[in-house]
Amino acid sequence: MKTYQFPDGFLWGGATAANQFEGGWNEGGKGWSVSDCARSHPDVDVTNYSAHNEITSKDIQEAMDHPEDLVHYPKRHGSDFYHHWKEDIALMAEMGFKVFRLSIAWSRIYPNGDDETPNEEGLKFYDQIFDECHKYGIEPLVTISHYEPPLNLVLKYNCWYDRKTIGFFENYVRTISKRYKDKVTYWLTFNEVDSMIRHPYTTGGLVRDRFEGKNFEEVIFQSMHHQFVASALATKILHEDNPSCKVGCMLTKLTYYPYSCRPEDVLEAQQRMRAIYCYSDTQVFGEYPAYLLARFKNHGLNIVMEPEDLRIMKEYPVDFISFSYYMSSCVAKNTEGLATTAGNTITAVKNPYLKASDWGWQTDPTGLRISLVDLYDRYRKPLFIVENGLGEKEELVEDGNGSYTVNDDAHIEYYRDHFKQMYDAINEDGVELMGYTSWACIDLVSESTKQMSKRYGFIYVDCDDYGNGTFSRYRKKSFWWYKHVIETNGACLGEE
Ligand code: BGP
């Protein structure tokens, strides 16, 4: 008999990221981040991922020449959490959140990344956020770097390609670890550490045209090596300041199915999965897996590693594995004549058995259970789902009480189906799942297409793709549903 009762202490909550949510992009002493130059292209096919994420030095200069432009650079305003934080945290508390995932904007603490001293106003901003969370018994889950390295590090050092950035990051982590050691228990080092390979600008601060004549794959993996060392150093620092804190890696869990039972399709799916796992393998086992080293060798990549690097990586592996899961895709050795569809930062073969969102992402609740079992069998360490959700086009409607709401039944169906799979993974597959933060608990700017109209939240934010709106917040139908799931710790799923 399935009670759908989740384990006591299961951490239900929601997730956001400063670069897509915070706004106040040039207030409170914050410096430019790479995301403040991310231009929106709402008129470009939303499933054309690369069109929305390639960036040139000219694009960056264009953005810097137009600091007044919030229309084409929606990440500058996000959902204006910077001025709504008290109200937003109260809404999360009203839903009964146990945990709230947010990121610290690095350039709010060190505006240029290489500053000697931190920006006190930025430190104070997060002090008040964490204090407000604790007022309601909500645990902050903090991502240290979520697509927002300081732009100055790009322009002056080529960001993560330069080994000096390890030192700048270490300085940033020492500052926030000391400041928040009594307020933050759960940390993530780099959001979707594997995404450096798919969008090197937002994760690594790498602009392709700044590496003329270089092997860009080598540039990416050299930068990735510096991030792996930095992640291990961050784990060391955080544990020294608060021995009871938990530090996780964060992986894009792209789940691939072979399009047919042809062995070459099955091999292709396995290879594609390993191309993702190699990054979490490195952070969990504290060393490069042989197959990643083989890739370096076979591709002629010369990755410079100091002897100290490998010792640090080995000595400071992560405590848990967190990941994002939205959809699944198919892969085939030969994709000729096969229909393709978009996914989270990828394009892959369409699965004829699954339905797709307006953005082409194929919803697959069973794929979440498959992913949980895969990861737990691989690592035997606690797991945390820190992103899972559905981006939908939505309209506000009158709620009959003189206010407005959204009848987002599609969100309720998506979450109900995924929660039931999580329950089975825990109770039938023995997976140790620490918690769940939906993406995103409140409408915010999409990472890939920079759109507000791709709405994920339990809370609607009145702002469109061009920055028009009051930024007022409205509870959706799913707000009340999720509140009931949390207060019954999942048991109400058995009635549905
Ligand atoms: C993940 C990012 C999140 C979020 C999510 C949804 O890759 O970690 O920041 O953006 O994708 O994707 P999108 O915003 O493109 O719909």
Side-chain angles (χ1 to χ4, degrees), residues 16-17 19-20 49 101 146-147 191-192 195 198-199 250 252 324 326 344-345 359 361 387 391 439 444-450 454 456:
T16 61
N19 81 94
Q20 297 164 251
Y49 182 69
R101 181 188 176 211
H146 193 140
Y147 303 156
N191 181 70
E192 295 190 334
S195 56
R198 294 186 303 277
H199 45 98
M250 200 289 199
T252 316
S324 59
Y326 292 92
N344 186 14
T345 74
W359 277 265
W361 296 17
E387 290 182 25
W439 182 274
L444 43 68
V445 175
S446 150
E447 158 53 27
S448 49
T449 60
K450 318 324 178 254
K454 188 174 186 185
Y456 282 94

Side-chain angles (χ1 to χ4, degrees), residues 176-185 187 238 241-242:
I176 60 175
S177 178
K178 285 226 173 335
R179 181 77 171 228
Y180 306 127
K181 61 183 168 51
D182 301 323
K183 300 183 178 181
V184 179
T185 302
W187 297 90
L238 293 164
D241 285 332
N242 174 0

Side-chain angles (χ1 to χ4, degrees), residues 476-490:
K476 300 182 191 178
K477 185 175 176 184
S478 58
F479 177 100
W480 306 107
W481 178 83
Y482 193 44
K483 175 180 165 69
H484 191 43
V485 169
I486 296 175
E487 65 200 2
T488 62
N489 195 19

